[in-house]
Amino acid sequence: MCIRDRLFLVLRRRLGGLEEGALAWSAARAAAATWLMIVVVAGFMVWARGWYELADRRGVRYLVELAAGVPAGTLTFLAAAWLAGAQELRSVPLVPRRWRRRAGAYG
């Protein structure tokens, strides 16, 4: 038994369980959202490589792939995770803390 397994068992014993079933479903939802994100980003890469105006301009093509693929991949992951019911999205601050209104600050 390796150290990782021992630490897992100690942590499980101290916390009274780690809800392995819920953890497995959470990992499955994240894996499905990641797979969809990969498909979308790969699609943008193929699209940019097929764009004939960018054929000779490799640096510009990479910039277009990055500028289109990253936001599309991020939105795809967030949408897929939300549709799958990922509880972890509640802890992701989609609006920076300094831009949020404080309760009762404006009236």
Side-chain angles (χ1 to χ4, degrees), residues 80-101:
W82 179 72
L83 288 173
Q87 304 276 327
E88 297 81 11
L89 286 180
R90 293 181 186 161
S91 64
V92 175
L94 297 178
V95 178
R97 185 175 290 170
R98 64 178 175 222
W99 294 349
R100 294 183 205 159
R101 290 186 182 187

Side-chain angles (χ1 to χ4, degrees), residues 10-58:
V10 168
L11 185 61
R12 186 170 148 197
R13 204 173 306 133
R14 285 191 181 179
L15 293 177
L18 295 177
E19 300 179 13
E20 290 88 354
L23 190 61
W25 278 111
S26 178
R29 283 191 293 267
T34 301
W35 183 82
L36 285 172
M37 178 186 67
I38 289 169
V39 169
V40 168
V41 171
F44 271 102
M45 291 176 74
V46 169
W47 170 77
R49 288 180 185 189
W51 203 2
Y52 68 92
E53 285 120 3
L54 300 177
D56 295 335
R57 305 174 81 190
R58 188 179 305 170

